[in-house]
Amino acid sequence: MLKPEKFRKEYGKSQLANELPDSPIGSLRDLQYLYGKLYTLATTGGGEYAPYLTPDAAGELVDTDDSLIVVRIDISSDEPQLADDDIGPVQVTRYTEDLIQKVGHCKFSAAAGIDHSITHQSGRNSKPEKLARYAKERLTRWGTDDVVAEAADDHADGWIINRLAELGESESALETIEETITRKLGGESATSLLTVQVKTESNGDYHWPGDLDVFNEAMRQRKLSKLVTKNKADDSSGDATDLVTGLPARTVGTSEDPQNYFLGKQLEKFPGLDIEEAWRSHPISEDAAITVMNAGTFVEACTYRTFGSKVYYLPYVFGRLTPHKVHRLYELLYHATENDDTTPIEDAYKNERGTDLNTRDLRFYISAVMPHQMSRYDVFGETLNGRLHYPKELAFTHNRLVESVSAFNKEPEAEWTAPLPTNEKWGLLSTSDEQLHAVSTGWYFYQTFAERDDDEADADDPRIKALVSVLSGEPIAVDLLLEEYVDRIVDEQTDDDEHEGFPSFLVASQFAQLCALADNGLQLLKPTDPSNDPITHEPTYDRYIMPTLDEIPIADGGHPAATKLESFINETPALSPAHDDDPDSVTSQRRGAFLLGALVGDIGSYQEYSEDRSTTLVDQYPVKSITRSRIKKVTQETVAKTLTYTRQEKKQQGGYPGTKADHIVDRLRETILSPDPEDWEIETDDLRFYYALGVTYGMNDHPWNRDETDADETEEEH
């Protein structure tokens, strides 16, 4: 395949313009056609038969020993015969770059079939006798194939093929071929292409198959015959308007597809399919179908397997296909084939910096394909409107949140911890250069959503829905996120063998993700009902930039824990009274759940570190136990336990001067103890997630000690 610099030189502005479609990309087929056209130009060049060749099929054989076996045939006289010159009837040589187009190889993937071209590729490490059989079949099988024979009858030089078939009837010629191959290989196995050279004039040279139109046309007809007989169709073809070029043509209905779409068993794309009439449902011309098939290399390079599915990220340029834009696109596709470690989105981000390809012109076709069984697939999340902006900005926004806003970072020189913890060993609680990779591959949601067995994944997998939504800029339903978050939290609290303690880093990661998705510039969250609307609003946390000594604020004398709680609630739209201070509103109920969690986390931490208790309130009231019917009882018991510890500390010298955690208790009385939670309207997942967020907040609510080592610092990322 041509490198981008050589491609640009080989196909300048005018040459490339002549090869490009006239219309912008408007469908997947248009995109595949463009990919196939670029791949053909980069590998086999232009010309009528170039799209039919498969140069990559035997790419690994290039410049290897014994990789090309050539049967040499002289048909310049009345009787066809094997070559009788210095080289001999069979040449065993190396398959080199300059021979790729000359041998005219066209692979047929069927295990028991022969290749479409007279050139055939053997299996790996075939024994000499098997290679000899393949060589003889160039005359006895390919030369007598029904489609090849029909093509020969219709071609002015069809006699050349007929002479090969005639020679194939000579037992002595076949024995010579076998004996010569066996002798030249010295009994060693080889992986080879097997082909022929033909001498048509007595004083002429021996011609390769690619140099003779009759061989090319027979190859073409044989390959085309498979486009109308797939899935046991007799002849799924007819005259119609080609959906790619818009021109009248003979169209085919059962052609192959690099993404396995529009197959006979792909019922989602072909509802109520009559296999013989498939060309009416999806008319694509013969040549366009072949070009689309050639898109496979680029399509496969622009995919990623995740969550048991195959996700396609196919870049293209928006609007008119100018040579300049397409040169840049080819460069992106070429690098995708060379790089297995990153996604096309990451490659596009790296390549667009410092180049003149405007990212506003760059789009992505995005879809996820879920295989169920052989030849049966589900296609979902399909869009042509994917943009680099969404995953790139989401990665940046997430890093910015964790790195510099007050929810995750304490105020400089403050005496108290930040509201929520961070941890360098947790990808979503640290600033990471790999965040774009996490977003574009789905790892971003794998870390926060409920765990599943990828071998049993299905098209309804929320992780795939979320991934495709982010890549295409479609908002994700808040209810879906909360359900997944809570399921994951409950699983980790329940699985005592694998996880220890409350998953505070997980909850903090989920909340950071939720905040990033709510960013005003992205708007990747949507409420499923008005009560969840505040969750979709961007938080207003202060952004901290480390000040100079002169800029460090002087403490105002207020209790830092109370000030921190007030600020966090007011700056979090889902909790803020500014969004709804009605005691009967869902926002107030959510705030009550958060405050209860904060008190449970605060007192639970006190029990663990001051009382040395192995079972705390955090363990006593796990997330799955919190419901509307139980939350008031849990609150009463937690407040009672708080008062017990308050009295206990007052007996000690320097005991707590007021009610322990009074900045939480006082607000709880207003939100849970006075109204009746059984009449609340908040959904259970909403209630539980913000309770879990509160627990995380409470566990992290303590004085800051610059010399202490976080006891959880060594906890490994999940």
Side-chain angles (χ1 to χ4, degrees):
M1 187 186 304
L2 295 178
K3 292 184 177 180
E5 316 85 66
K6 195 167 183 180
F7 183 88
R8 186 185 292 270
K9 184 176 180 180
E10 187 80 16
Y11 301 103
K13 184 176 179 180
S14 59
Q15 296 98 320
L16 188 57
N18 293 332
E19 298 285 350
L20 296 177
D22 295 328
S23 58
I25 301 298
S27 68
L28 173 61
R29 279 294 189 242
D30 291 342
L31 178 55
Q32 291 172 328
Y33 182 81
L34 176 61
Y35 278 19
K37 176 69 73 171
L38 293 177
Y39 174 79
T40 299
L41 292 174
T43 54
T44 58
E48 181 181 2
Y49 299 108
Y52 292 82
L53 304 180
T54 55
D56 279 351
E60 64 180 15
L61 300 185
V62 174
D63 287 328
T64 61
D65 291 337
D66 302 334
S67 52
L68 184 64
I69 298 175
V70 187
V71 178
R72 305 175 71 246
I73 305 164
D74 183 352
I75 57 172
S76 61
S77 59
D78 293 339
E79 294 292 330
Q81 60 185 1
L82 294 174
D84 184 17
D85 56 14
D86 292 341
I87 298 175
V90 177
Q91 183 181 22
V92 178
T93 185
R94 278 176 168 251
Y95 178 52
T96 56
E97 289 278 356
D98 61 308
L99 292 177
I100 290 177
Q101 294 198 45
K102 291 182 178 295
V103 301
H105 182 223
C106 181
K107 180 74 175 175
F108 181 40
S109 58
I114 58 173
D115 288 346
H116 297 306
S117 57
I118 192 169
T119 302
H120 180 78
Q121 185 175 356
S122 77
R124 185 175 297 276
N125 295 324
S126 295
K127 293 182 178 181
E129 55 267 28
K130 198 167 189 178
L131 293 171
R133 176 166 63 83
Y134 291 149
K136 291 185 289 184
E137 285 179 348
R138 305 306 89 218
L139 312 179
T140 61
R141 190 173 178 187
W142 188 88
T144 59
D145 179 84
D146 290 344
V147 177
V148 172
E150 185 176 345
D153 290 343
D154 295 336
H155 198 282
D157 291 331
W159 64 274
I160 295 176
I161 292 177
N162 294 335
R163 287 296 183 89
L164 298 189
E166 183 181 339
L167 183 61
E169 296 175 357
S170 169
E171 288 297 329
S172 63
L174 297 179
E175 289 175 3
T176 299
I177 292 172
E178 181 167 3
E179 184 276 326
T180 307
I181 290 176
T182 303
R183 175 171 47 81
K184 289 197 171 187
L185 288 175
E188 298 293 327
S189 296
T191 307
S192 310
L193 283 177
L194 300 105
T195 191
V196 300
Q197 273 190 314
V198 179
K199 181 179 178 180
T200 58
E201 297 178 1
S202 58
N203 59 348
D205 296 325
Y206 280 85
H207 301 288
W208 293 98
D211 297 330
L212 295 174
D213 187 81
V214 66
F215 283 123
N216 288 324
E217 182 59 25
M219 172 270 294
R220 178 177 181 272
Q221 291 300 328
R222 194 168 190 279
K223 187 165 186 175
L224 288 176
S225 71
K226 303 301 180 182
L227 304 186
V228 300
T229 58
K230 195 176 180 65
N231 297 317
K232 300 181 180 180
D234 292 325
D235 184 3
S236 182
S237 66
D239 293 330
T241 299
D242 178 15
L243 60 82
V244 173
T245 64
L247 300 175
R250 180 176 182 259
T251 62
V252 295
T254 60
S255 60
E256 296 177 26
D257 180 286
Q259 286 164 261
N260 296 312
Y261 292 6
F262 304 104
L263 299 177
K265 296 181 181 179
Q266 220 303 335
L267 301 183
E268 182 174 338
K269 293 292 183 182
F270 265 152
L273 173 67
D274 178 346
I275 195 68
E276 299 296 341
E277 302 296 318
W279 63 273
R280 297 182 186 274
S281 304
H282 189 74
I284 183 168
S285 69
E286 294 172 325
D287 288 343
I290 294 297
T291 302
V292 163
M293 290 164 64
N294 286 342
T297 296
F298 287 150
V299 167
E300 285 302 307
C302 297
T303 64
Y304 197 93
R305 293 183 183 275
T306 186
F307 307 138
S309 70
K310 194 172 186 179
V311 180
Y312 293 91
Y313 312 153
L314 309 185
Y316 69 97
V317 287
F318 186 71
R320 183 168 168 264
L321 296 174
T322 65
H324 172 69
K325 291 180 180 178
V326 174
H327 277 136
R328 303 302 305 178
L329 176 64
Y330 176 78
E331 183 176 352
L332 186 60
L333 294 172
Y334 177 86
H335 287 309
T337 64
E338 297 288 303
N339 188 358
D340 294 331
D341 298 328
T342 56
T343 64
I345 287 175
E346 295 168 89
D347 293 338
Y349 168 63
K350 293 174 184 176
N351 290 339
E352 60 93 10
R353 291 181 297 178
T355 71
D356 48 5
L357 176 60
N358 192 327
T359 54
R360 289 178 298 179
D361 294 331
L362 190 63
R363 295 287 192 277
F364 291 87
Y365 166 86
I366 297 167
S367 70
V369 174
M370 181 72 67
H372 294 297
Q373 52 180 291
M374 186 66 70
S375 301
R376 293 188 184 273
Y377 306 86
D378 253 339
V379 181
F380 59 99
E382 193 173 22
T383 178
L384 272 167
N385 199 37
R387 297 182 65 182
L388 177 61
H389 168 78
Y390 299 108
K392 178 185 72 173
E393 289 302 317
L394 179 58
F396 288 168
T397 298
H398 191 104
N399 278 345
R400 176 179 57 80
L401 276 166
V402 175
E403 180 181 28
S404 61
V405 304
S406 58
F408 296 93
N409 297 270
K410 76 179 188 68
E411 189 174 346
E413 297 302 315
E415 300 175 357
W416 222 252
T417 56
L420 298 171
T422 56
N423 189 318
E424 287 299 320
K425 294 186 178 181
W426 282 70
L428 298 184
L429 292 180
S430 62
T431 54
S432 170
D433 293 337
E434 298 297 316
Q435 210 68 272
L436 180 58
H437 183 73
V439 172
S440 58
T441 61
W443 176 246
Y444 189 67
F445 295 107
Y446 184 90
Q447 297 172 81
T448 58
F449 278 32
E451 294 180 323
R452 292 171 171 80
D453 183 351
D454 288 348
D455 291 335
E456 298 179 4
D458 57 41
D460 294 325
D461 192 323
R463 301 171 301 177
I464 301 174
K465 289 183 178 180
L467 170 60
V468 174
S469 293
V470 164
L471 296 179
S472 58
E474 291 294 324
I476 306 168
V478 168
D479 284 4
L480 181 146
L481 286 173
L482 295 181
E483 180 180 359
E484 288 299 306
Y485 290 171
V486 170
D487 284 351
R488 178 67 172 268
I489 295 167
V490 169
D491 285 347
E492 297 217 4
Q493 276 197 287
T494 303
D495 191 353
D496 294 333
D497 293 335
E498 186 174 346
H499 308 287
E500 288 188 16
F502 185 81
S504 57
F505 291 141
L506 167 64
V507 177
S509 298
Q510 293 171 333
F511 186 68
Q513 187 176 87
L514 194 65
C515 292
L517 292 167
D519 180 79
N520 285 338
L522 292 169
Q523 297 182 334
L524 290 174
L525 287 183
K526 65 179 178 182
T528 44
D529 64 73
S531 66
N532 275 335
D533 183 60
I535 301 178
T536 68
H537 295 178
E538 180 180 1
T540 56
Y541 306 126
D542 290 333
R543 185 173 182 181
Y544 289 139
I545 300 175
M546 187 60 67
T548 65
L549 290 176
D550 293 337
E551 295 172 325
I552 296 176
I554 300 174
D556 60 7
H559 195 284
T563 303
K564 184 179 80 171
L565 179 66
E566 186 73 19
S567 296
F568 183 76
I569 288 177
N570 289 337
E571 295 169 359
T572 304
L575 304 174
S576 175
H579 281 269
D580 199 337
D581 203 21
D582 181 349
D584 295 326
S585 71
V586 170
T587 301
S588 292
Q589 295 162 13
R590 188 181 297 122
R591 188 163 59 248
F594 170 79
L595 288 166
L596 172 58
L599 185 59
V600 168
D602 190 312
I603 302 304
S605 293
Y606 175 84
Q607 290 175 314
E608 182 177 355
Y609 295 112
S610 297
E611 299 291 311
D612 197 26
R613 295 188 57 176
S614 58
T615 300
T616 70
L617 288 180
V618 175
D619 306 307
Q620 188 175 343
Y621 303 123
V623 170
K624 69 177 180 180
S625 71
I626 302 301
T627 62
R628 291 191 298 267
S629 61
R630 288 203 63 203
I631 195 169
K632 187 167 186 174
K633 184 175 185 297
V634 172
T635 302
Q636 291 169 336
E637 293 176 354
T638 303
V639 169
K641 184 65 70 174
T642 303
L643 295 176
T644 298
Y645 288 126
T646 299
R647 289 192 294 269
Q648 180 178 304
E649 284 204 348
K650 283 184 176 181
K651 292 180 181 180
Q652 301 170 1
Q653 186 176 359
Y656 200 79
T659 302
K660 190 170 183 60
D662 54 3
H663 61 293
I664 304 175
V665 174
D666 291 344
R667 298 195 69 151
L668 264 179
R669 290 193 174 99
E670 302 169 3
T671 55
I672 294 182
L673 297 183
S674 294
D676 189 351
E678 290 194 16
D679 296 330
W680 283 4
E681 298 178 357
I682 188 171
E683 295 293 333
T684 301
D685 288 329
D686 195 342
L687 180 79
R688 288 175 171 173
F689 176 72
Y690 282 92
Y691 168 79
L693 182 66
V695 173
T696 301
Y697 180 101
M699 292 176 68
N700 200 54
D701 193 25
H702 52 76
W704 178 263
N705 183 347
R706 292 183 183 276
D707 297 325
E708 78 176 15
T709 300
D710 191 336
D712 294 323
E713 187 176 356
T714 59
E715 181 175 350
E716 293 186 359
E717 181 178 355
H718 296 287

